[in-house]
Amino acid sequence: IVTWGIDLQGEMSRPVCKLSKKTDNQLIIKEHLTPHPVQWAGPALKRTVLQVSCGGWHLLVASREGNNQLCVYSSGLNNYGQLGHGMCQGESGLVEDNKNREKLTKVEFFEGKGIETVEGGYHGSYFVGGCGKKMYVCGRGDYGQLGIALEQSPIGYFVSTPVRVPLVYDVKTQGNISDPTKNCIVEETIDEDEQPEIEQVAAGSSAHHVIVITKQGDVYSWGFGESGQLGQNRENSSIEEADITLPQKMSLVTKKKVSYKIKYASSGGQHSAVIISTSDSFGKQV
């Protein structure tokens, strides 16, 4: 892996000079703008990189190493726990680990979980393993972008330890929920047979919303929806109701009753784009 650009939070996973008004331009070109290999925390290992994804100010990597072991690494900004390193020891006990990382650091939580897909959002991270049927998230969730709350989360809400996000799950059947604005998913109650296999996750490095395409052709979206970017036809909703806090399946039929299939999705700050194929009522592509 090589990185280049402007590094302010460790997102390029390698040593660079600190930036100020007095920093020499040639030094910036040499250390920031010129591609250089990343650095890995821990012992040197032979590994095969499967995927990389740039979040807002962080970097995610899925790799295969050792005895065919799948691993996840992260670096960069961690103010919302988006690097997924969970809890750490503080002065008065365990606290959320929101310390930045300047080298790619292994996310211990994912040991044995078979993660092959990583996707960096603006202040969040998304991971898919379990043969494509188990999705995990961490990071910021006050716009519903984590997909784990029954109601809108308080400003600044985040989780630093990755949690499951089932696409098919009825939170309301789980009995008494102590706080509907925080994680309402009980992993032990997820019906794994009902979970569709995930084809693609689009979170976007400047987005607070998520689009997921399944191999069966269904599409789910959730998160920030004030600008209609979730594609859920909620034009009559108020601004407060526009956000969606749990995965919701999109209707893939146009007003003219033409069905379509989404092949690829991309999410931006206040918009989304997809590649589609359409068919008429006779199944003929148009």
Side-chain angles (χ1 to χ4, degrees):
I1 304 173
V2 296
T3 58
W4 64 93
I6 295 297
D7 182 306
L8 298 176
Q9 307 291 345
E11 59 265 50
M12 291 205 294
S13 310
R14 55 183 176 82
V16 293
C17 62
K18 300 299 180 182
L19 298 178
S20 71
K21 293 181 179 179
K22 297 181 179 180
T23 306
D24 181 73
N25 285 339
Q26 291 303 313
L27 186 59
I28 295 174
I29 292 172
K30 178 182 178 181
E31 296 194 5
H32 286 259
L33 304 183
T34 302
H36 291 288
V38 299
Q39 292 190 5
W40 306 74
L45 297 172
K46 183 178 181 180
R47 56 176 63 90
T48 300
V49 174
L50 303 177
Q51 191 179 21
V52 299
S53 181
C54 295
W57 287 275
H58 66 292
L59 180 66
L60 302 173
V61 175
S63 69
R64 188 185 304 275
E65 56 193 47
N67 297 318
N68 209 32
Q69 182 181 20
L70 293 171
C71 298
V72 175
Y73 291 81
S74 61
S75 72
L77 184 66
N78 196 31
N79 58 333
Y80 287 103
Q82 57 264 54
L83 299 187
H85 294 298
M87 309 294 287
C88 64
Q89 189 65 43
E91 294 181 0
S92 57
L94 289 176
V95 296
E96 301 274 5
D97 185 343
N98 59 359
K99 178 183 177 182
N100 294 358
R101 302 298 199 279
E102 295 184 351
K103 296 181 180 181
L104 284 169
T105 304
K106 181 181 287 188
V107 182
E108 301 295 342
F109 175 86
F110 288 121
E111 290 283 341
K113 290 184 169 58
I115 302 297
E116 294 187 271
T117 299
V118 293
E119 174 76 358
Y122 188 60
H123 284 139
S125 301
Y126 304 81
F127 314 86
V128 180
C131 298
K133 300 186 72 172
K134 292 185 178 181
M135 182 174 179
Y136 298 84
V137 299
C138 62
R140 185 177 178 181
D142 49 5
Y143 289 106
Q145 62 267 55
L146 294 179
I148 59 174
L150 188 59
E151 299 177 6
Q152 194 87 28
S153 300
I155 295 175
Y157 174 70
F158 70 92
V159 296
S160 59
T161 300
V163 295
R164 279 289 303 277
V165 184
L167 296 181
V168 180
Y169 188 80
D170 188 355
V171 173
K172 296 180 181 179
T173 65
Q174 301 309 312
N176 183 40
I177 297 174
S178 59
D179 189 344
T181 68
K182 296 184 179 180
N183 186 13
C184 297
I185 307 299
V186 180
E187 185 167 0
E188 292 74 19
T189 64
I190 297 173
D191 188 342
E192 302 295 357
D193 293 333
E194 291 293 321
Q195 301 311 307
E197 189 173 352
I198 294 171
E199 177 76 23
Q200 187 211 348
V201 179
S205 62
S206 61
H208 287 301
H209 69 287
V210 187
I211 299 174
V212 171
I213 302 174
T214 73
K215 289 196 173 180
Q216 292 87 341
D218 294 322
V219 181
Y220 295 78
S221 65
W222 65 91
F224 182 58
E226 181 180 325
S227 302
Q229 59 266 58
L230 298 179
Q232 297 286 354
N233 296 321
R234 295 162 67 94
E235 54 270 284
N236 295 323
S237 300
S238 66
I239 290 177
E240 291 77 13
E241 295 174 335
D243 297 348
I244 296 177
T245 60
L246 291 168
Q248 183 172 318
K249 187 185 294 188
M250 292 174 59
S251 172
L252 302 183
V253 179
T254 68
K255 292 181 179 180
K256 295 183 178 180
K257 306 303 181 183
V258 175
S259 63
Y260 60 93
K261 182 177 181 181
I262 293 181
K263 301 286 190 178
Y264 183 85
S266 182
S267 53
Q270 298 182 53
H271 66 297
S272 301
V274 297
I275 300 173
I276 67 172
S277 63
T278 60
S279 59
D280 59 20
S281 57
F282 299 100
K284 180 180 178 181
Q285 288 197 344
V286 295

